[in-house]
């Protein structure tokens, strides 16, 4: 097996005295894993950082064998790691991707989405500029894994107007009129998740995180909640401090 491709590093762990096992998300072949000889060396440590983009070459004698990976840095996001909020966002979005996606399955939309989140982190002047993109990525990941939410119409009345809530059980939208006496048991549905054109404020962004977090914990990260979701908790703690 030989694969040459662009990739985004999503996880790195030491292996042996000098090597590292790297998992990376590719545009077509999904998540691929490879062993990097000398991956803990001074030369390669700045390259093998979650969030960095690389030109990758995976080589293996058989499909079952762990590939050897040669990685050349194509875009470093190291400057972002000096900013606590951006660093926390990269830690979470890469940890989520690594934990949620099986290896070898194509997820081209998620590669585009992850690239978009990382680009937003670099371009936005403040956290509000990229936080909504991160919520949308979480929502996209849920959909790609078969746990998509139905935000098209009210689960009670069937209307597509005035959708304000989401059922935490069914993942279906609920209108203001359909909520009735169950309003307090529902999650608030921010307009930016159903096509709202105005830039969302912090209350809407945090409501979005509450929705995606509920379903990620319930449906996707069941066996790895404690360690993976800890990265999300660190990020949300910081966002709540600036967003109220």
């Amino acid at each position: 097996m030989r694969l040459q491709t662009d990739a985004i590093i999503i996880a790195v762990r030491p292996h042996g005295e000098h090597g590292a096992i790297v998992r990376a998300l590719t545009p077509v072949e999904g998540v691929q894993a490879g062993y990097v000889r000398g991956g803990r060396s001074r030369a390669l440590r700045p390259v093998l950082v979650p969030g960095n983009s690389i030109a990758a070459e995976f080589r293996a004698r058989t499909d079952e064998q762990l590939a050897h990976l040669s990685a050349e840095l194509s875009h470093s996001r190291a400057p972002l790691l000096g900013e606590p909020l951006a660093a926390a966002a990269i830690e979470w979005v890469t940890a989520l991707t690594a934990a949620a996606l099986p290896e070898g399955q194509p997820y081209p939309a998620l590669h585009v989405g992850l690239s978009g989140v990382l680009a937003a982190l670099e371009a936005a002047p403040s956290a509000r500029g990229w936080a909504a993109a991160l919520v949308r990525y979480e929502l996209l990941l849920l959909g790609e894994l078969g746990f998509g939410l139905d935000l098209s119409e009210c689960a009670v009345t069937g209307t597509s107007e005035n959708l304000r809530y989401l059922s935490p059980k069914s993942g279906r939208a609920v209108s203001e009129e359909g909520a009735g006496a169950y309003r307090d048991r529902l999650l608030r549905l921010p307009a930016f998740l159903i096509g709202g054109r105005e830039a969302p404020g912090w209350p809407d962004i945090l409501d979005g995180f509450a929705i995606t977090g509920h379903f990620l914990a319930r449906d996707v990260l069941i066996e790895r909640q404690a360690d993976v979701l800890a990265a999300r908790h660190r990020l949300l703690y910081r966002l709540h401090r600036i967003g109220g």
Side-chain angles (χ1 to χ4, degrees), residues 162-185:
N162 207 24
L163 302 178
R164 295 288 185 269
Y165 303 96
L166 188 82
S167 167
K169 291 185 178 180
S170 68
R172 298 185 64 189
V174 180
S175 67
E176 184 70 42
E177 297 75 17
Y182 295 94
R183 183 175 287 102
D184 292 342
R185 302 182 188 180

Side-chain angles (χ1 to χ4, degrees), residues 154-209:
C154 175
V156 179
T157 67
T159 181
S160 59
E161 302 296 326
N162 207 24
L163 302 178
R164 295 288 185 269
Y165 303 96
L166 188 82
S167 167
K169 291 185 178 180
S170 68
R172 298 185 64 189
V174 180
S175 67
E176 184 70 42
E177 297 75 17
Y182 295 94
R183 183 175 287 102
D184 292 342
R185 302 182 188 180
L186 303 174
L187 299 167
R188 290 180 57 190
L189 178 60
F192 80 97
L193 290 185
I194 51 175
R197 296 183 179 180
E198 294 184 8
W202 278 117
D204 279 352
I205 291 171
L206 295 175
D207 284 341
F209 274 118

Side-chain angles (χ1 to χ4, degrees), residues 79 104-105 133-134 159 163 165 172-173 218 232 235 243:
Q105 300 297 315
L134 182 49
T159 181
L163 302 178
Y165 303 96
R172 298 185 64 189
R218 191 191 76 175
R232 193 176 197 269
L235 171 62

Side-chain angles (χ1 to χ4, degrees), residues 12-244:
V12 180
R13 64 179 176 88
H15 185 79
E17 293 186 8
H18 307 292
I21 294 178
V22 174
R23 299 181 73 218
L25 181 61
T26 70
V28 177
E29 292 81 8
V31 175
Q32 297 290 325
Y35 171 76
V36 180
R37 182 177 286 109
R40 299 168 67 185
S41 67
R42 183 175 299 179
L44 284 176
R45 277 202 306 268
V47 176
L48 304 182
V49 175
N52 278 357
S53 295
I54 58 171
E57 181 177 8
F58 296 88
R59 289 175 175 267
R61 293 182 179 179
T62 67
D63 290 340
E64 292 74 26
Q65 182 185 36
L66 177 65
H68 284 267
L69 169 61
S70 298
E72 181 179 342
L73 182 66
S74 57
H75 186 76
S76 173
R77 295 183 173 91
L80 294 174
L81 301 182
E83 304 173 18
L85 264 175
I90 291 175
E91 179 190 17
W92 159 242
V93 75
T94 54
L96 168 63
T97 306
L101 301 188
E103 291 182 8
Q105 300 297 315
Y107 292 101
L110 287 177
H111 184 272
V112 172
L114 181 56
S115 298
V117 171
L118 294 171
L121 279 161
E122 293 178 295
S126 68
R128 208 176 100 178
W130 52 256
L134 182 49
V135 175
R136 291 190 183 99
Y137 178 76
E138 294 180 345
L139 193 65
L140 174 65
L141 184 142
L142 284 166
E144 289 290 302
L145 293 178
F147 301 106
L149 309 183
D150 184 355
L151 309 181
S152 61
E153 63 181 24
C154 175
V156 179
T157 67
T159 181
S160 59
E161 302 296 326
N162 207 24
L163 302 178
R164 295 288 185 269
Y165 303 96
L166 188 82
S167 167
K169 291 185 178 180
S170 68
R172 298 185 64 189
V174 180
S175 67
E176 184 70 42
E177 297 75 17
Y182 295 94
R183 183 175 287 102
D184 292 342
R185 302 182 188 180
L186 303 174
L187 299 167
R188 290 180 57 190
L189 178 60
F192 80 97
L193 290 185
I194 51 175
R197 296 183 179 180
E198 294 184 8
W202 278 117
D204 279 352
I205 291 171
L206 295 175
D207 284 341
F209 274 118
I211 287 174
T212 52
H214 170 78
F215 291 99
L216 285 171
R218 191 191 76 175
D219 298 326
V220 176
L221 300 174
I222 301 170
E223 296 180 357
R224 298 192 59 186
Q225 282 194 24
D227 52 350
V228 178
L229 286 177
R232 193 176 197 269
H233 296 328
R234 287 190 289 271
L235 171 62
L236 288 183
Y237 173 76
R238 294 179 182 277
L239 292 179
H240 275 281
R241 290 187 65 182
I242 64 173

